[in-house]
Amino acid sequence: MNIPVSSFNWFAKITGWPVQAVAFRTSVAYEDRSVQGRKVRGPAIIISNHTSVYDYAVWLFVFYSRTLRVPMAEILFEKQPLGIFLSMMGGIRIDRNSHSLSGLEKCSRILKKGGTVLMFPEGRLPREGETAPLEFRPGAASLALETGVPVIPVYTNGSYFNKKRARVAIGTPFFAEEAADPALSDAENLAHVSSYMRDKVIALSRLTGGNESGGGDADEK
């Protein structure tokens, strides 16, 4: 039986809502809620820092009204039944040791059809002793420049399954072209835009600290 990705997403959200409410107790803060809240209209790329394998689950429920299509490492699809579940959720397999661009091409097609793609541009979880977030890889910048869709930066403090709330922040959308520099080569431009994206995500971290309101305009789930 071939279940549509969107239908399976809604099934997972409905059945998983009580579990995530206890596990994450997410508090959501906004850079400017009048510009960007939890509802995403039209095509968009959401970029997030990467703290845990549970980051995807958190954003799945924060942006509950959209089906998030997420590029994921090939190793996740090789573990069963996890791989089957991720495929049914709409995960997009990225073979990190291959030079194939099929994953990004699929993301591009999804965006051009009005979909939403969630990306973790660090490409992997930071190891002990590494500065987080890691430098962003160029895939998200390349996709944003190629499609011209808005980019929504988000940040999570990675506080899951403990007494502290998971605190996340949603930033205002921007376009990758804003950071592009025509004087740079293509490779330099990708690095420049990637750094700009990383700075946008890091800047949101201030909204996840401090008092119970998350340091700014916030709501709680």
Side-chain angles (χ1 to χ4, degrees), residues 83-135:
I84 296 174
F85 173 77
L86 294 178
S87 294
M88 293 178 71
M89 288 294 290
I92 300 169
R93 178 171 174 146
I94 299 292
D95 293 303
R96 294 172 297 177
N97 297 321
S98 169
H99 295 293
S100 172
L101 298 177
S102 61
L104 285 179
E105 290 171 353
K106 186 171 184 178
C107 289
S108 179
R109 290 195 297 271
I110 289 168
L111 291 168
K112 289 174 181 178
K113 291 180 180 179
T116 307
V117 173
L118 167 65
M119 303 186 76
F120 299 97
E122 293 168 84
R124 64 172 175 83
L125 293 171
R127 301 187 180 97
E128 185 177 353
E130 291 184 317
T131 300
L134 302 173
E135 295 298 320

Side-chain angles (χ1 to χ4, degrees), residues 110-184:
I110 289 168
L111 291 168
K112 289 174 181 178
K113 291 180 180 179
T116 307
V117 173
L118 167 65
M119 303 186 76
F120 299 97
E122 293 168 84
R124 64 172 175 83
L125 293 171
R127 301 187 180 97
E128 185 177 353
E130 291 184 317
T131 300
L134 302 173
E135 295 298 320
F136 280 13
R137 296 183 181 182
S142 176
L143 185 63
L145 288 169
E146 187 255 319
T147 60
V149 304
V151 179
I152 304 172
V154 297
Y155 180 89
T156 175
N157 69 353
S159 179
Y160 314 139
F161 300 97
N162 57 45
K163 294 181 180 179
K164 295 182 179 179
R165 286 184 178 278
R167 297 187 181 277
V168 304
I170 300 174
T172 56
F174 64 89
F175 292 93
E177 290 83 353
E178 297 173 11
D181 185 343
L184 300 176

Side-chain angles (χ1 to χ4, degrees), residues 10-203:
W10 276 112
F11 172 78
K13 291 172 186 176
I14 292 170
T15 57
W17 188 272
V19 176
Q20 67 85 30
V22 174
F24 305 138
R25 298 168 54 241
T26 311
S27 174
V28 186
Y30 307 86
E31 187 173 20
D32 187 343
R33 194 172 184 175
S34 66
V35 176
Q36 181 62 60
R38 289 167 60 178
K39 290 186 178 180
V40 179
R41 296 175 174 82
I45 299 171
I46 300 172
I47 55 170
S48 172
N49 62 313
H50 203 10
T51 70
S52 163
V53 294
Y54 298 106
D55 294 334
Y56 165 55
V58 169
W59 295 123
L60 181 73
F61 289 101
V62 168
F63 295 104
Y64 59 90
S65 65
R66 295 300 296 267
T67 296
L68 304 182
R69 305 299 300 274
V70 187
M72 300 176 177
E74 75 291 336
I75 190 172
L76 296 176
F77 292 90
E78 294 166 0
K79 300 177 181 180
Q80 302 302 340
L82 177 62
I84 296 174
F85 173 77
L86 294 178
S87 294
M88 293 178 71
M89 288 294 290
I92 300 169
R93 178 171 174 146
I94 299 292
D95 293 303
R96 294 172 297 177
N97 297 321
S98 169
H99 295 293
S100 172
L101 298 177
S102 61
L104 285 179
E105 290 171 353
K106 186 171 184 178
C107 289
S108 179
R109 290 195 297 271
I110 289 168
L111 291 168
K112 289 174 181 178
K113 291 180 180 179
T116 307
V117 173
L118 167 65
M119 303 186 76
F120 299 97
E122 293 168 84
R124 64 172 175 83
L125 293 171
R127 301 187 180 97
E128 185 177 353
E130 291 184 317
T131 300
L134 302 173
E135 295 298 320
F136 280 13
R137 296 183 181 182
S142 176
L143 185 63
L145 288 169
E146 187 255 319
T147 60
V149 304
V151 179
I152 304 172
V154 297
Y155 180 89
T156 175
N157 69 353
S159 179
Y160 314 139
F161 300 97
N162 57 45
K163 294 181 180 179
K164 295 182 179 179
R165 286 184 178 278
R167 297 187 181 277
V168 304
I170 300 174
T172 56
F174 64 89
F175 292 93
E177 290 83 353
E178 297 173 11
D181 185 343
L184 300 176
S185 67
D186 290 345
E188 290 171 333
N189 235 334
L190 283 178
H192 184 66
V193 174
S194 297
S195 179
Y196 180 85
M197 289 180 163
R198 181 173 179 268
D199 289 344
K200 286 284 190 179
V201 170
I202 291 174

